[in-house]
Amino acid sequence: SFYWAIFAAALVILGNLLWNRGVETNLRNRFRLAGSRFTKPTRLALSVIIILLAGTGSTIYYNTSVLNGEALAGDSNAAKVAYEKKYKKYEQTVQPKITDVKIDADLYPEEGKVDIRGRYLLQNKANHAIDSLHVRISGYSIGTIKIAGRVAPPILADPEAGYYIYALHAPLMPGKQVSFEFDLRRGRNGFSAIRENTDIVKNGTFFNNEGFPAFGYSRDVELANNQARRKYGLPTRPRFPDLHDQEARQYSIIGKDADWITFEATVSTIADQIAFAPGTLRKTWMENERRYFHYRTDTTMVNFYPILSGRYEVREDRWRDVKIEIFYHKDHPYNIDRMIKSIKSSLAYYTSNFTPYPHRQIRVIEFPRYVRNAQAFASTIPYSEAIGFVAKIEEGDIDYPFYIIAHEMAHQWWGHQLVGANMQGTALLSETLSEYSAMMVMEKEYGSDTIQRILRFALDDYLKARSAEKEKELPLYRVEFQPYLNYRKGSLAMYALKGYIGEQRLNEVLRAFLEGAAFQGAPYPNALELLFLLKKATPDTLHSVMDDLFKKITLYENRVAEAESQPLANGRYAVKVRLNARKLYADSLGVETETEMADWIDVGIFAEEQTDEGTKEIQIYLRKHKLKSGENTLTLEVPRKPVRVSVDPYYKLIDRNPDDNVASIDVRTK
């Protein structure tokens, strides 16, 4: 903006020289008159402006095209293609697993810089010796790399691809360990023409260990879009390994280079900030006008962890022996009570129905709105200010700060105790089960009406998103981290299943699944194992329901055609409902086939009730009825005058036009 302001000033001077102040209109004469107006002060001002313009332009060019030219140069897709073509040959090269991590991180928020020193213990879990390390490091400049205490120069270094190969001094034999030490730096390098890095900021730093040394070729770096792959002459690939790929079960969704790790970190920051990493805070101290924080976990965790720093107020509380801490910006205290309430409700429900919480504390830490999400790490939940800390929840609104906390708390079980294999269906084990768990906490706190609204949103979002699917829609048990499936359809399916087999039985299955697979290494659990347990707990007559919910793409077209009621002599009301039902199966390309229907589906009847707030509807009848394809007529009896009837009133099924599932009831007199 300064550059263009100077440029505008130059135009003002030139415009003033050529300005028509009389009747002269000839352009040649106006240039002649401009020469006479070009006085010494004007020449001096224009000279200064030209010097400033040249200096500013040079500075901008140097920063955007020299220091940060790589951010704009070339095609990012081309870089991914080059990575794959160069190093795909190493995909099956066996690498050791990280078992222990110690990190020293020095944060300089004002400068946008971080220095990282780390030490891994690597263990050979294969059945043959390993003679070299294939290391991926991205986004950081590399200082010293030491292997087994010795400085190790790479035998291959490709900084553009972030791929390095180091020869081991002696082969790493099966079961043996070796240390790997690294020294990394990252920071702002002048300024760029594109959006600046917002991970390390003056107040509210938040980044994770992506870019830290990782081992082995990674498919995550490859170009994923098949249309783009065809453009570059690459073969089509599945987005995730097939659900029956046994090799894929040897690795978790977190990565190939670690199973479960022990973790310790010391993070330093400027004197007026608090720094965070997962684990229990063991010690804090001041040194050289910097604050140091030492964390260590009490149990193993996945190899995925954050580092944060900022100026915070803190609200503390407890649930049993678990310390609760909310770290927030001093001007954003609005929803702290909601968050603490959600943490307590979540801990109570999840420990009662699933397994114990494995940590001594849980921290929620606000970070700036550059990113609009919340994310669960072991005992730590970074939470964007944009989706909770500055939310204004009015009467009647869904309490989404409460809901988001409940979802991220659920990840302390689904994703941080039980981790799925790197294959199709893993999102069902993390996001879908976390969404279901959060809904149960919401239902206990806010009732079924709130869940009805959440499910309707999930249904609408699913129907909208599936129409925009660019690849293939997959059944839920094969989901590949597509939000409209693992969040939206997943929440509908799990809530529907609860309605069929009951909350207690469903939670007993989830508890058994957790107890059998929590902190499990290879072979990692998958969706087939969960479905097997669910099917065992489901009556034989409902096995087709399991298939409809999880293994097929099932659509409904249910509609209430007519409804009427008549008062009875005993003061109750008879309700006659005529409705139409239709069920279809869709394939992955959206081709639909109608199928015969004989499904147990909820039918609800509602009445009006006067309250202090006015008239509201209350449910007076809810039961499942077996509906066949075509027209169905039901005659029901309810205890009071009904006003509305609905088929599938809680939107548990995928009905493409849910608005016609409900109708007013005509009252007939005798």
Side-chain angles (χ1 to χ4, degrees):
S1 59
F2 182 63
Y3 174 84
W4 291 112
I6 298 170
F7 186 76
L11 292 179
V12 168
I13 291 175
L14 293 175
N16 182 63
L17 294 174
L18 295 171
W19 192 262
N20 184 9
R21 293 179 173 82
V23 296
E24 182 60 66
T25 59
N26 184 281
L27 187 61
R28 180 179 297 179
N29 290 336
R30 288 170 67 180
F31 271 107
R32 181 177 54 79
L33 290 172
S36 65
R37 296 171 184 163
F38 198 39
T39 62
K40 184 175 181 180
T42 303
R43 290 196 298 273
L44 179 61
L46 189 59
S47 298
V48 171
I49 286 173
I50 291 173
I51 292 170
L52 287 173
L53 200 63
T56 305
S58 299
T59 301
I60 292 171
Y61 176 82
Y62 178 71
N63 277 269
T64 60
S65 299
V66 179
L67 293 179
N68 294 285
E70 71 284 352
L72 298 174
D75 182 350
S76 61
N77 283 348
K80 294 180 179 181
V81 171
Y83 169 86
E84 182 172 349
K85 288 183 175 180
K86 285 181 183 179
Y87 304 114
K88 183 77 170 179
K89 60 187 176 183
Y90 296 127
E91 185 172 18
Q92 302 305 319
T93 302
V94 176
Q95 292 290 280
K97 297 287 188 80
I98 303 169
T99 61
D100 180 79
V101 173
K102 289 184 173 63
I103 296 294
D104 289 297
D106 296 326
L107 300 173
Y108 302 91
E110 299 289 339
E111 303 169 42
K113 185 178 75 171
V114 61
D115 293 341
I116 303 288
R117 296 172 304 285
R119 177 180 178 272
Y120 297 161
L121 278 183
L122 307 177
Q123 183 179 18
N124 182 358
K125 295 188 177 183
N127 55 12
H128 58 81
I130 296 173
D131 62 7
S132 61
L133 301 180
H134 291 239
V135 184
R136 304 187 319 275
I137 300 174
S138 61
Y140 291 85
S141 60
I142 303 173
T144 303
I145 299 291
K146 292 183 179 180
I147 301 173
R150 303 182 182 190
V151 175
I155 58 174
L156 180 148
D158 186 347
E160 289 186 4
Y163 203 94
Y164 305 82
I165 300 177
Y166 295 87
L168 293 174
H169 180 70
L172 185 62
M173 304 307 291
K176 298 299 183 180
Q177 292 184 323
V178 67
S179 65
F180 181 90
E181 299 171 69
F182 54 91
D183 181 5
L184 309 176
R185 289 176 177 79
R186 178 158 69 92
R188 287 195 293 267
N189 195 20
F191 57 85
S192 171
I194 60 176
R195 181 178 176 178
E196 294 286 345
N197 188 301
T198 55
D199 292 351
I200 307 168
V201 295
K202 292 182 179 180
N203 187 21
T205 291
F206 165 39
F207 62 95
N208 60 42
N209 60 313
E210 291 180 3
F212 287 17
F215 299 89
Y217 179 88
S218 173
R219 292 180 78 251
D220 294 340
V221 183
E222 293 179 358
L223 184 60
N225 183 279
N226 280 323
Q227 184 177 354
R229 290 177 67 83
R230 288 191 290 271
K231 172 185 172 183
Y232 289 98
L234 295 173
T236 299
R237 69 166 199 168
R239 290 172 289 189
F240 274 78
D242 184 80
L243 191 56
H244 297 279
D245 184 343
Q246 292 305 306
E247 175 64 23
R249 293 196 63 187
Q250 302 307 304
Y251 308 106
S252 82
I253 193 64
I254 303 299
K256 296 177 67 173
D257 55 0
D259 293 316
W260 299 90
I261 64 168
T262 54
F263 178 81
E264 188 174 353
T266 300
V267 187
S268 75
T269 187
I270 56 179
D272 63 344
Q273 294 196 10
I274 305 172
F276 304 92
T280 301
L281 180 62
R282 309 288 175 161
K283 184 181 178 183
T284 182
W285 69 96
M286 288 289 296
E287 184 178 322
N288 296 326
E289 298 184 350
R290 292 180 59 79
R291 293 181 76 182
Y292 288 77
F293 300 82
H294 177 216
Y295 296 91
R296 187 170 68 244
T297 56
D298 301 305
T299 184
T300 57
M301 69 178 211
V302 298
N303 185 35
F304 187 42
Y305 46 89
I307 293 173
L308 304 99
S309 176
R311 299 179 187 91
Y312 291 107
E313 303 294 314
V314 60
R315 178 85 65 83
E316 296 182 356
D317 210 317
R318 298 196 75 84
W319 182 83
R320 296 182 183 174
D321 59 346
V322 178
K323 185 178 182 180
I324 299 169
E325 297 173 305
I326 311 289
F327 292 89
Y328 62 97
H329 183 57
K330 64 179 181 179
D331 295 331
H332 301 162
Y334 311 111
N335 294 306
I336 307 303
D337 290 337
R338 296 177 188 276
M339 295 178 180
I340 291 175
K341 188 176 184 180
S342 181
I343 290 172
K344 290 181 176 181
S345 298
S346 299
L347 287 169
Y349 189 88
Y350 304 155
T351 57
S352 173
N353 288 280
F354 305 143
T355 57
Y357 180 68
H359 305 288
R360 299 186 199 179
Q361 67 286 313
I362 180 69
R363 300 185 189 94
V364 176
I365 306 164
E366 182 181 6
F367 66 88
R369 65 181 67 196
Y370 301 117
V371 180
R372 297 172 60 89
N373 72 349
Q375 193 170 16
F377 298 86
S379 74
T380 307
I381 302 175
Y383 192 147
S384 173
E385 65 177 343
I387 60 168
F389 282 90
V390 297
K392 185 176 182 180
I393 308 300
E394 304 281 6
E395 184 71 27
D397 290 347
I398 292 177
D399 188 349
Y400 67 86
F402 183 102
Y403 190 25
I404 291 170
I405 289 289
H407 177 94
E408 300 306 328
M409 284 295 298
H411 275 307
Q412 300 297 320
W413 283 259
W414 313 112
H416 286 280
Q417 290 188 50
L418 185 143
V419 178
N422 182 37
M423 63 190 341
Q424 292 177 331
T426 288
L428 176 65
L429 308 185
S430 57
E431 299 301 344
T432 297
L433 293 185
S434 292
E435 194 73 352
Y436 161 75
S437 303
M439 285 172 55
M440 292 301 95
V441 174
M442 285 291 287
E443 187 171 55
K444 297 295 183 274
E445 184 65 33
Y446 291 103
S448 57
D449 289 348
T450 294
I451 298 302
Q452 183 184 44
R453 295 168 62 190
I454 292 172
L455 291 173
R456 177 58 192 264
F457 169 79
L459 175 61
D460 291 344
D461 201 51
Y462 165 74
L463 291 172
K464 179 181 178 181
R466 75 182 293 264
S467 67
E469 175 62 71
K470 294 181 179 178
E471 298 284 344
K472 295 180 179 180
E473 180 179 355
L474 297 171
L476 189 57
Y477 82 122
R478 289 184 177 273
V479 65
E480 297 181 344
F481 284 92
Q482 298 140 290
Y484 79 100
L485 293 176
N486 54 40
Y487 290 104
R488 308 305 179 221
K489 186 178 181 180
S491 61
L492 296 165
M494 289 299 296
Y495 199 78
L497 182 61
K498 178 184 81 83
Y500 283 109
I501 69 174
E503 179 183 353
Q504 181 177 346
R505 180 176 291 187
L506 177 53
N507 286 347
E508 286 172 354
V509 172
L510 297 181
R511 176 193 287 272
F513 187 40
L514 259 174
E515 290 176 341
F519 300 104
Q520 174 181 311
Y524 284 90
N526 67 4
L528 289 176
E529 293 178 324
L530 174 60
L531 291 191
F532 175 77
L533 293 176
L534 288 173
K535 211 160 192 176
K536 277 181 63 177
T538 303
D540 292 347
T541 54
L542 294 177
H543 282 183
S544 62
V545 171
M546 285 285 302
D547 291 340
D548 283 347
L549 293 174
F550 295 98
K551 290 194 170 185
K552 297 179 180 179
I553 302 172
T554 309
L555 306 170
Y556 289 88
E557 292 181 354
N558 299 322
R559 179 174 66 88
V560 178
E562 186 179 25
E564 63 180 36
S565 71
Q566 185 172 330
L568 300 174
N570 60 4
R572 297 170 68 86
Y573 284 78
V575 180
K576 186 176 181 179
V577 183
R578 185 168 60 84
L579 54 87
N580 295 312
R582 188 168 178 244
K583 182 165 79 171
L584 307 98
Y585 292 133
D587 65 15
S588 60
L589 297 177
V591 178
E592 298 171 0
T593 304
E594 187 170 358
T595 185
E596 275 299 309
M597 176 175 169
D599 293 11
W600 291 93
I601 297 178
D602 290 337
V603 175
I605 299 177
F606 300 83
E608 289 184 343
E609 182 175 73
Q610 295 297 324
T611 68
D612 293 339
E613 290 78 28
T615 302
K616 72 172 187 176
E617 284 192 356
I618 61 168
Q619 178 184 291
I620 58 175
Y621 180 95
L622 182 67
R623 290 183 188 172
K624 292 186 185 296
H625 290 268
K626 195 169 190 178
L627 304 182
K628 59 181 177 58
S629 298
E631 187 172 297
N632 298 259
T633 301
L634 305 176
T635 301
L636 313 171
E637 189 175 310
V638 294
R640 57 193 297 180
K641 181 181 177 181
V643 297
R644 187 170 63 91
V645 62
S646 178
V647 56
D648 187 27
Y650 288 93
Y651 310 108
K652 300 174 186 177
L653 306 177
I654 307 298
D655 193 310
R656 290 188 296 191
N657 186 14
D659 291 333
D660 66 7
N661 287 24
V662 60
S664 298
I665 298 175
D666 295 328
V667 180
R668 302 290 176 89
T669 59
K670 292 184 178 179

